[in-house]
Every structure is written in C-alpha cells, then in structure tokens.
C-alpha cells in the first residue's frame, strides 16, 4: 500500500486511527491496521481501481432509473432519441461526458495543436 500511494495511506491512517507517524508503529501493527481500513478508504479504492464510492454509484443508479422512466413517457422516447446519459457510466468512466480533450504536458498540447492546424 505504501508503494502504491503513500499519501493516501497516511491520510487514511490519520483519519481512521489518528495515526500521524506510521513509521513509529511496528510493521505488523501497521499491516493489520492498513488491512482493517474500510473498503471506501482512499487506499483501498485505489487498490481496487474504484473511481467512485459504492454509495455514490447506488445513488447514481437510482437517478439513472428515474431519468429513464421519465424519458420513457416522452415523445422523444417514442422516436428513440435524446435518451438520458447514464450517470453511472459517466462516474465509472465508461461513458464520455463531452469531446473535451485534456493533456498532461505542454508538449502533448503542442502536438495536438500542430495536428489540428495542419502541421505548421
């Protein structure tokens, strides 16, 4: 866990147990306390690859169902158009929210700019 995200583990230990200096603990105690963190702790969510807490996904699923139910009673539904986007899909990263591009470095941005304007 420390190798994956030291900061997340420190935050979780401080929040859950009030431990501010994890290095002062015996390694066995640290391991037991780390494993005992709740499933929606920062480090456990990172380990599992979860992007959103489970309770938020359940709420999003309820909104999705309600939106679909309301949409199904519209003229758009009769034509099969303008179906509402899934919040669960957006939160889990399975569905894009827009065509916005993001770049990690200035070089990536410059390369995309050159591609768009024709290699100038």
């Amino acid at each position: 866990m420390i190798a994956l995200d030291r900061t997340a583990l420190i935050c979780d230990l401080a929040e859950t147990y009030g431990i501010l200096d994890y290095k002062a603990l015996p390694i066995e105690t640290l391991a037991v306390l780390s494993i005992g963190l709740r499933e929606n702790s920062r480090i456990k969510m990172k380990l599992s690859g979860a992007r959103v807490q489970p309770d938020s996904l359940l709420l999003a699923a309820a909104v999705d169902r309600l939106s679909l139910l309301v949409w199904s009673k519209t003229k758009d539904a009769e034509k099969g158009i303008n179906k509402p986007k899934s919040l669960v899909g957006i939160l889990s990263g399975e569905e894009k929210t827009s065509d916005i591009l993001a770049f990690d470095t200035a070089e990536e941005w410059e390369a995309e700019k050159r591609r768009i304007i024709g290699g100038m």
Side-chain angles (χ1 to χ4, degrees), residues 10-80:
I10 290 170
C11 287
D12 289 337
L13 291 171
E15 179 181 11
T16 305
Y17 305 116
I19 297 169
L20 300 177
D21 182 13
Y22 73 92
K23 292 178 182 178
L25 295 172
I27 192 71
E28 295 85 11
T29 304
L30 180 61
V32 168
L33 293 176
S34 297
I35 294 298
L37 290 168
R38 64 189 191 290
E39 292 304 311
N40 64 347
S41 66
R42 293 166 191 84
I43 193 67
K44 287 219 176 163
M45 286 186 62
K46 191 157 194 173
L47 282 168
S48 70
R51 296 174 56 159
V52 182
Q53 293 186 7
D55 56 340
S56 296
L57 280 179
L58 287 173
L59 289 171
V63 169
D64 282 351
R65 299 293 181 190
L66 181 58
S67 298
L68 199 55
L69 181 62
V70 170
W71 173 79
S72 71
K73 305 297 180 192
T74 66
K75 299 258 185 224
D76 282 352
E78 290 175 10
K79 299 173 188 172

Side-chain angles (χ1 to χ4, degrees), residues 70-114:
V70 170
W71 173 79
S72 71
K73 305 297 180 192
T74 66
K75 299 258 185 224
D76 282 352
E78 290 175 10
K79 299 173 188 172
I81 59 172
N82 295 326
K83 186 176 180 181
K85 291 187 185 249
S86 167
L87 289 179
V88 171
I90 292 168
L91 290 174
S92 64
E94 296 171 4
E95 186 174 315
K96 285 190 172 184
T97 56
S98 67
D99 295 331
I100 295 173
L101 296 176
F103 304 97
D104 291 326
T105 65
E107 291 78 23
E108 289 177 5
W109 181 82
E110 290 291 342
E112 182 65 13
K113 182 176 115 178
R114 281 192 301 274

